[in-house]
Amino acid sequence: MNRIFVRFSLLVMLAVTVASFVIYFVISNLFGDPFEEIALKQASGQIFLLEQYVDKAPADEWLQRLNKVREISRVKFELIPLKAALPLLPAKKEASLMRGEVVLDAADKSFFRRVDLAGDKYIGSEEEVIHAEDLPIDVGLAVKVELVRYVIVALFLLIPVAVWSSLHWRGLQSLSKVARDFGEGNLSARATTKKTSSIYPLAERMNQMAARIESLLEAQKNLMHSVSHELRTPVARLEFGLELLRQDVKKTADGSAAEARMQAMEADLIELNMLVKELLSLTRLDQQQENRHTQFSLAEALHDCVGIMDHALSGKLLKTDIGAGIGLMAGDPRLISRAVTNLMMNAAKYASHQLVLSAHRLADGAVEVIVEDDGPGIPVEERERIFDPFYRLDRSRDRATGGFGLGLAIAQKAALLHGGNIHVAESSLGGARFVMRLPSGL
Ligand SMILES: Nc1ncnc2c1ncn2[C@@H]1O[C@H](COP(=O)(O)OP(=O)(O)O)[C@@H](O)[C@H]1O
Ligand SMILES: [Mg+2]
């Protein structure tokens, strides 16, 4: 049994019970007690007998007729003093009795009525009350009918609740199973909730969350794998170099060969340090939630980037086309410069003869910074993956041309932190065209 249904049933039962009491209370106040109406109808034969037969008798025969009625009727008709009758009635009915009306007591199956108001039936008759007991009154049936009515209404309310809650419950169960599986390490567990289900949006969110966690963990795993892989080569070379150095020093007393090897080892150490630095800055960007916002002139920042490119161009031509009115933008100028420099370093590395840096403002206020070159370009199927950390195209596996494969990952992170993005396409120059789009952030 699903818990939602149990709770709903209890609530429905409670609500119907409260509703039936409220209905009885309101109707009694507005139109009079419905059960008393029923009781009055059931006692109407006896009242008719009293009013139409006994009361219609001439004054001196009134008692005789009453006695006759007593003989044939199963109802007990007794004469009691008015003073004794009044305490037996609810206070609000006393006035009706005094006016000579029939006062019914449905629960006691009896009624009271004054013999007369003027005392003309017999001596002292105005001080007497006729008390009829054992009237054929039975409101039990009416109560049962009402009860059955409310129970049926309650049951019919519960049917849609049962259907709805069982669908809901099954959906929740399957979501909780997915959450459990995922928690136990099955990262590919996903909810398969139907689009029409009321919990579909929740399932959707959960799936998005699961997909994100899975991809983050996957990226983490790949990163760790690549890091160890990349660190292995220089470390192995260092170890090998050290071994040779030790042998050299043992065999010969010649210091120059040892010196050369030590220089090579130093170069390896520098490479190792560079890798660690790049890696650290990438992980730092990963952890950074928001960038420190300052306003800066984008044109100035881009010209500064061009300024530090000189040594990396190695004879290639660098053209710039930076719109004069490109204006200010808000963000972290160091991060933006870093991203642009990384793109330009790549372009300088892979260009055959020339590279171009251009920037302009779009109609929606965003800025596009474009770096393109006339190099080999990037095959369509690699255009997403090159932004992954450590990912390099085959041709750049060779250390002579490639770095560690972190430059584009860092540039991408910097753009994302500014609410922008980078994508790569083909340049009209023949090589790659990297487009960094940044919202102005102002
Ligand atoms: N302008 C470009 N032309 C051709 N290939 C490029 C260009 N920029 C990047 N790439 C490719 O993308 C890979 C990743 O670039 P990057 O992350 O900067 O790493 P790295 O420069 O350290 O190799 C490079 O190894 C290279 O294969
Ligand atoms: Mg690079």
Side-chain angles (χ1 to χ4, degrees):
M1 181 75 95
N2 81 56
R3 225 181 301 161
I4 302 178
F5 181 66
V6 173
R7 296 206 176 147
F8 254 111
S9 314
L10 290 177
L11 271 182
V12 166
M13 293 297 182
L14 191 72
V16 168
T17 311
V18 171
S20 53
F21 278 109
V22 171
I23 288 171
Y24 176 72
F25 180 77
V26 170
I27 289 185
S28 303
N29 273 294
L30 290 180
F31 312 110
D33 187 342
F35 292 120
E36 203 165 300
E37 292 289 311
I38 294 166
L40 204 58
K41 265 188 207 141
Q42 290 170 340
S44 61
Q46 314 303 323
I47 295 170
F48 183 84
L49 210 57
L50 180 67
E51 287 176 346
Q52 301 300 317
Y53 177 70
V54 182
D55 287 351
K56 287 281 160 71
D60 51 349
E61 279 177 37
W62 190 89
L63 267 175
Q64 280 171 22
R65 290 230 183 148
L66 181 66
N67 284 333
K68 223 179 249 174
V69 170
R70 272 175 171 157
E71 274 168 34
I72 56 156
S73 173
R74 282 217 226 124
V75 176
K76 271 198 267 166
F77 287 98
E78 276 189 271
L79 292 171
I80 56 172
L82 183 60
K83 280 197 191 102
L86 284 176
L88 300 177
L89 299 174
K92 58 181 179 180
K93 297 270 180 89
E94 279 177 13
S96 321
L97 184 78
M98 292 311 287
R99 282 196 299 275
E101 289 166 18
V102 171
V103 173
L104 196 74
D105 181 351
D108 192 41
K109 299 184 179 183
S110 66
F111 69 72
F112 298 85
R113 203 207 69 183
R114 288 180 68 179
V115 174
D116 61 23
L117 303 181
D120 48 24
K121 305 293 184 211
Y122 51 87
I123 297 165
S125 65
E126 79 277 15
E127 289 298 324
E128 296 240 292
V129 165
I130 183 161
H131 184 204
E133 283 175 293
D134 292 341
L135 292 168
I137 288 176
D138 185 8
V139 289
L141 184 68
V143 172
K144 274 184 213 150
V145 167
E146 287 303 302
L147 206 67
V148 168
R149 200 198 303 274
Y150 286 118
V151 168
I152 289 175
V153 168
L155 287 180
F156 271 86
L157 277 178
L158 286 180
I159 290 171
V161 169
V163 173
W164 176 83
S165 75
S166 81
L167 289 177
H168 214 72
W169 185 249
R170 246 181 284 153
L172 286 178
Q173 292 290 86
S174 75
L175 275 196
S176 106
K177 185 179 174 315
V178 169
R180 198 182 52 227
D181 288 353
F182 196 82
E184 282 168 0
N186 174 11
L187 297 185
S188 59
R190 295 288 184 279
T192 51
T193 312
K194 281 201 207 102
K195 261 200 169 137
T196 47
S197 165
S198 50
I199 56 166
Y200 178 75
L202 175 65
E204 211 34 15
R205 295 280 136 71
M206 227 173 99
N207 283 348
Q208 281 167 5
M209 188 179 77
R212 174 133 175 80
I213 294 175
E214 190 185 14
S215 79
L216 282 177
L217 287 180
E218 186 65 21
Q220 177 113 334
K221 228 168 45 192
N222 288 342
L223 188 70
M224 290 324 288
H225 178 80
S226 307
V227 169
S228 48
H229 189 77
E230 292 293 334
L231 286 176
R232 225 161 35 195
T233 321
V235 169
R237 283 207 302 244
L238 271 177
E239 280 171 353
F240 183 60
L242 255 175
E243 183 56 38
L244 287 183
L245 193 63
R246 226 175 277 126
Q247 286 171 10
D248 279 356
V249 172
K250 244 190 263 165
K251 271 191 224 148
T252 65
D254 181 11
S256 67
E259 182 64 38
R261 295 235 165 78
M262 274 158 72
Q263 269 175 11
M265 284 163 67
E266 242 169 44
D268 279 343
L269 270 178
I270 290 170
E271 192 179 322
L272 209 53
N273 269 333
M274 248 163 63
L275 171 59
V276 169
K277 252 193 234 159
E278 292 264 276
L279 207 52
L280 277 179
S281 66
L282 183 68
T283 45
R284 231 172 268 141
L285 279 183
D286 258 339
Q287 284 156 6
Q288 200 168 325
Q289 293 293 324
E290 55 193 71
N291 51 75
R292 269 161 281 124
H293 275 273
T294 45
Q295 281 191 15
F296 62 96
S297 155
L298 185 62
E300 243 171 62
L302 292 180
H303 282 301
D304 287 349
C305 293
V306 171
I308 56 169
M309 281 299 295
D310 275 351
H311 69 283
L313 286 173
S314 53
K316 293 165 192 171
L317 182 65
L318 168 58
K319 286 189 199 158
T320 58
D321 173 16
I322 299 167
I326 196 161
L328 296 176
M329 79 166 280
D332 186 337
R334 276 185 331 159
L335 267 185
I336 299 290
S337 301
R338 178 86 189 271
V340 175
T341 310
N342 283 1
L343 295 180
M344 286 209 289
M345 287 288 184
N346 283 348
K349 199 163 16 174
Y350 297 104
S352 309
H353 304 103
Q354 59 163 327
L355 50 145
V356 180
L357 167 70
S358 53
H360 54 263
R361 201 171 273 279
L362 302 174
D364 64 356
V367 175
E368 262 183 6
V369 180
I370 301 164
V371 178
E372 44 193 331
D373 62 71
D374 59 355
I378 292 164
V380 178
E381 65 276 11
E382 304 279 13
R383 286 183 185 167
E384 286 211 359
R385 294 210 61 192
I386 51 162
F387 293 99
D388 290 349
F390 292 108
Y391 191 78
R392 291 175 309 211
L393 300 185
D394 275 344
R395 61 172 179 272
S396 47
R397 278 273 164 216
D398 181 10
R399 269 290 143 68
T401 49
F404 303 107
L406 291 174
L408 287 180
I410 291 174
Q412 172 86 300
K413 288 264 154 60
L416 288 178
L417 273 176
H418 285 80
N421 58 56
I422 301 183
H423 70 266
V424 62
E426 210 174 287
S427 165
S428 56
L429 301 175
R433 172 185 163 94
F434 284 86
V435 181
M436 177 159 71
R437 191 175 188 285
L438 297 168
S440 75
L442 289 170

